[in-house]
Amino acid sequence: MTALFTATLAQGELPNVMSGVTLYHFLFTSAAMFVIGLIGFLTRRNLIIMFLCTELMFQAAGIALIAFSRFWMNHTGETFVIFVLTVAAAEAAMALALVVLLFRRKETLDSSAWREMKG
Amino acid sequence: MIEKIHALWPEITLFAAACVVMVVGLSRNVQVRRLCVPVCFIALVAAGVLAWFTTPMSAAAMAHLPQYGKTLAAFVGALLLLLLVGTPDREYEDDVARGRAAFEPIRGTRGEFYAFYLFSITGLMLCAGADDLIWLFLALELTSLPTYIMVAISTGRNRSMEAGVKYFFLGALGAATFLFGFALIYGATGSTKYTAIAEALQAQYQAGPLNAIAVAGVVLAVLGIGFKIAAVPMHFYTADVYQGASAPVSAMLAFVPKAAGFFALLGLLSCVGWFRATEPNTSLPEPIHEVLWFMAVLTMTVGNVLAVMQNSVKRILAYSSIAHSGYMLVGLIAGPGLQKDSFTHNGLAAVLFYLLVYGVSNIGAFAVLACLERRGRDGQMEEADDIADLRGLCSRRPLLGWIMVISSLGLLGLPPLLGFWGKMPLFTAGVSSGDYLLVVILGLNSAIAAFYYLRLVGVTLLEAPDAPGRGVPVQPGPFPTRVLAGVASVAGIIMLSFIPLTNQAQRAGIYNRDPIIKRSAEPAQPAVPKPEV
């Protein structure tokens, strides 16, 4: 069983449990996540939800990277994802700091409450 | 891996200085706190010298880009630092000096501010030296992340925070977009190295049209990086952020992320290539060319038309910065041209030179704003922003007034000044690539730009001074270094035209296509210029 498992892995295919799943399924999932994140970012007004939408877009790219990494049988994409996760964590820290700062000033998370500048 | 360390001495210098500054800025002793700026300045100068003398040639298609880009970053960075002096903690330090508040390190932001500035410049240098998509992604994020915080803490006002949050959210959207683009480029080519990507794409050209995933990846990456250079459709934040941030920080935003974005675009597009062994013409492949073309036209036009309608000087400069990005995109579209050693035919060299021109000229205009303040609606003194604040500045404050006049004319590109020598190669490169329509649009836009730049000149030079309390010099404590930054910028606008810096830009803009062509099955065909559209 283990030998079969490593043999299929070496050929770049996923184990039998997911035998019907191809690169395109992963790409479709990733593109769908990216678009959902984009639509959410453009339509929602709550700052935290908007931030989560950008995170969704980052992770969509992560899924695409891992799927491609498996497709090409090299580790570049996986390495890329580790760095992306690190940067996403740094961005999350900054986003929360900024949102807390804003909440202390106006007691709301609604982005439309902040419209001092126009033109 | 270890050999890459030798290419990174300037970045290591800046990083070490940033760590020192972060600690020094927390000191309870005001004299020690003031060491932040000298440490930053010495580090930037040292990094500039190291960048010029130690940067090796890159293996990517533009071998001399890292040396030029890193030196440019350090040089303009040192000028910007002179302008940034006194921005963090202005009100708080004033209170501490008058004994109204006790100094608590936790409330001070000076150390973070200067350290973040150095981190941002480090990121810009890494962008110039990038030869890998992972590296490029990290470098772009290192350039941008500190600037979000710098905008938010640049003044104590609500509008700075609003600007910081807007900048952050749209920046995250842009980052996600180009990251997805990078993922698709990796998927289409199997590597994140520039050289391997260029090779894989060239192999695809041989077989037929480019892979759809590669095209989608490059387009998404260009759109995402469009946020950094403030190009349409990712330009919405620009005016609000520049207006909300303190003027020195706006000056920094106009140069650092923009330069990082252009270095990234140069790297990416040189992987795609303007030459193909199978086709005789010299332009980017079809969908990518079209996307960049419409981006350039819209960016120039939208930026200039909206700038005409503004009354806030910062917003005028913000929209004009959008327009300048559009001009530079023309150079990217024109590509490296067919004559290898000709500066006037090489759009890439024109872009690199224009970055220097814009970086130097822009500092003067923002320096004048940073030196002036006015009484705001709430009775507090705030930064000068309205165009009425500049009325009669030449008679009231001749030095500041003339800095404003010359830097406006420099940005406009009046012939003897530096701006003209920056814009001319963009025109000639556009003409030699055969895209006459784009060059005509560039010319029309330069004419529109004359309207608002001459308005700035006219208000400053010709009109009588306005009511008192508008546009008076900053109290308490002048910032002589800000005036110095303005004077240095004006000196640059006048003097740099006489120094043959174009040679350096030309060398940095050399696009080496030989390795790619040699590998192709057919011998290189004698290329002919693209016929007129």
Side-chain angles (χ1 to χ4, degrees):
Chain A
M1 184 62 202
T2 323
L4 181 71
F5 190 73
T6 39
T8 39
L9 271 186
Q11 284 162 17
E13 291 165 14
L14 290 159
N16 279 337
V17 193
M18 301 175 72
S19 58
V21 181
T22 61
L23 176 67
Y24 293 99
H25 293 87
F26 284 101
L27 288 189
F28 182 78
T29 314
S30 133
M33 271 172 74
F34 188 82
V35 172
I36 291 170
L38 185 62
I39 293 173
F41 184 86
L42 297 175
T43 54
R44 300 297 288 266
R45 295 271 71 95
N46 183 310
L47 288 174
I48 299 220
I49 303 278
M50 282 166 78
F51 175 69
L52 289 179
C53 288
T54 62
E55 280 298 294
L56 199 60
M57 291 164 76
F58 265 89
Q59 302 320 322
I63 289 182
L65 280 171
I66 291 187
F68 281 131
S69 192
R70 186 56 181 270
F71 176 76
W72 288 103
M73 292 309 283
N74 59 27
H75 296 293
T76 320
E78 284 152 15
T79 320
F80 205 155
V81 169
I82 301 289
F83 285 112
V84 170
L85 289 177
T86 321
V87 169
E91 283 205 339
M94 279 182 50
L96 290 180
L98 284 171
V99 167
V100 167
L101 202 65
L102 255 66
F103 187 76
R104 283 199 192 144
R105 296 261 171 152
K106 290 212 174 164
E107 303 271 311
T108 173
L109 285 175
D110 189 357
S111 67
S112 51
W114 292 83
R115 288 212 171 141
E116 209 179 300
M117 291 168 293
K118 277 202 192 103
Chain B
M1 200 60 222
I2 195 79
E3 70 272 17
K4 285 210 169 177
I5 299 286
H6 295 305
L8 292 179
W9 288 120
E11 287 91 341
I12 293 170
T13 314
L14 288 184
F15 180 78
C19 296
V20 171
V21 162
M22 218 185 275
V23 177
V24 164
L26 292 175
S27 167
R28 289 183 182 276
N29 182 339
V30 69
Q31 299 298 335
V32 178
R33 284 207 296 278
R34 289 201 180 127
L35 281 177
C36 282
V37 177
V39 170
C40 285
F41 193 79
I42 292 168
L44 281 167
V45 171
V49 173
L50 282 172
W52 186 251
F53 289 107
T54 67
T55 310
M57 274 172 63
S58 140
M62 294 180 72
H64 297 282
L65 174 64
Q67 188 192 25
Y68 178 85
K70 288 179 186 188
T71 316
L72 174 70
F75 170 64
V76 182
L79 270 184
L80 279 170
L81 179 72
L82 293 179
L83 189 53
L84 283 167
V85 172
T87 306
D89 283 351
R90 216 184 114 205
E91 287 149 19
Y92 183 52
E93 286 281 354
D94 190 35
D95 287 349
V96 171
R98 293 177 187 208
R100 276 184 289 191
F103 182 76
E104 292 168 47
I106 195 84
R107 283 190 60 199
T109 54
R110 180 190 289 254
E112 287 98 318
F113 188 85
Y114 291 116
F116 281 170
Y117 175 64
L118 289 186
F119 281 139
S120 193
I121 299 284
T122 312
L124 172 55
M125 287 189 171
L126 288 171
C127 275
D131 59 358
D132 191 297
L133 288 182
I134 302 180
W135 182 316
L136 181 65
F137 171 73
L138 291 174
L140 282 170
E141 289 299 271
L142 183 61
T143 316
S144 299
L145 288 182
T147 58
Y148 306 142
I149 301 287
M150 285 175 73
V151 170
I153 64 177
S154 65
T155 71
R157 291 170 180 276
N158 275 356
R159 57 166 54 179
S160 290
M161 284 173 201
E162 181 186 336
V165 170
K166 262 184 195 166
Y167 194 36
F168 171 78
F169 275 92
L170 288 166
L173 181 70
T177 313
F178 67 68
L179 175 63
F180 202 78
F182 290 177
L184 294 184
I185 295 173
Y186 166 63
T189 58
S191 176
T192 54
K193 281 217 166 309
Y194 281 4
T195 45
I197 292 172
E199 213 171 307
L201 290 180
Q202 193 64 33
Q204 289 185 19
Y205 285 135
Q206 307 288 338
L210 273 187
N211 188 336
I213 290 183
V215 171
V218 175
V219 168
L220 276 178
V222 167
L223 286 177
I225 295 171
F227 168 84
K228 308 276 179 228
I229 63 172
V232 174
M234 305 288 266
H235 68 290
F236 290 104
Y237 70 94
T238 320
D240 288 353
V241 172
Y242 284 28
Q243 193 183 16
S246 166
V249 177
S250 311
M252 183 206 140
L253 294 183
F255 175 73
V256 176
K258 194 187 292 272
F262 274 102
F263 291 149
L265 283 180
L266 283 170
L268 271 180
L269 295 179
S270 66
C271 293
V272 177
W274 288 265
F275 300 101
R276 283 177 292 297
T278 48
E279 293 172 41
N281 62 6
T282 65
S283 77
L284 290 161
E286 272 311 303
I288 301 167
H289 177 83
E290 256 73 59
V291 166
L292 270 175
W293 198 89
F294 281 109
M295 244 172 109
V297 170
L298 285 174
T299 307
M300 283 189 269
T301 316
V302 167
N304 276 321
V305 169
L306 289 178
V308 167
M309 303 196 283
Q310 304 300 322
N311 275 321
S312 147
V313 183
K314 276 193 205 163
R315 293 186 86 91
I316 293 180
L317 292 174
Y319 282 116
S320 81
S321 120
I322 298 178
H324 285 286
S325 286
Y327 304 155
M328 285 189 261
L329 283 175
V330 173
L332 282 184
I333 293 167
L338 295 166
Q339 277 135 332
K340 208 170 175 185
D341 294 324
S342 160
F343 177 64
T344 46
H345 288 74
N346 190 337
L348 309 184
V351 170
L352 288 171
F353 187 62
Y354 204 86
L355 277 175
L356 167 75
V357 170
Y358 181 69
V360 170
S361 318
N362 195 42
I363 289 172
F366 278 108
V368 173
L369 287 182
C371 291
L372 295 174
E373 63 180 2
R374 60 157 178 188
R375 195 166 293 285
R377 284 196 207 102
D378 52 357
Q380 299 277 321
M381 293 310 275
E382 60 180 28
E383 262 182 359
D385 187 19
D386 200 283
I387 197 161
D389 294 333
L390 295 178
R391 263 188 204 147
L393 200 62
C394 278
S395 56
R396 288 186 291 140
R397 295 272 155 186
L399 181 61
L400 293 180
W402 281 103
I403 292 176
M404 191 72 199
V405 168
I406 295 181
S407 51
S408 297
L409 292 177
L411 284 167
L412 164 62
L414 203 70
L417 299 174
L418 187 59
F420 172 75
W421 301 110
K423 216 175 261 179
M424 199 180 66
L426 289 175
F427 276 98
T428 53
V431 168
S432 68
S433 80
D435 202 340
Y436 298 112
L437 181 58
L438 195 60
V439 175
V440 169
I441 295 173
L442 176 61
L444 287 177
N445 270 292
S446 304
I448 303 176
F451 180 81
Y452 57 84
Y453 281 129
L454 289 179
R455 188 166 158 227
L456 285 178
V457 172
V459 165
T460 318
L461 188 61
L462 304 175
E463 290 193 15
D466 201 16
R470 305 205 72 158
V472 294
V474 171
Q475 304 294 327
F479 298 109
T481 56
R482 290 190 177 176
V483 182
L484 191 64
V487 172
S489 155
V490 166
I493 294 172
I494 297 171
M495 304 289 289
L496 287 185
S497 332
F498 302 111
I499 302 172
L501 283 169
T502 47
N503 293 346
Q504 302 304 332
Q506 186 257 324
R507 200 165 74 101
I510 291 175
Y511 170 74
N512 192 7
R513 63 192 164 112
D514 294 342
I516 296 170
I517 301 258
K518 263 182 218 153
R519 270 183 232 113
S520 64
E522 298 162 10
Q525 294 173 356
V528 294
K530 191 183 171 191
E532 189 182 341
V533 183

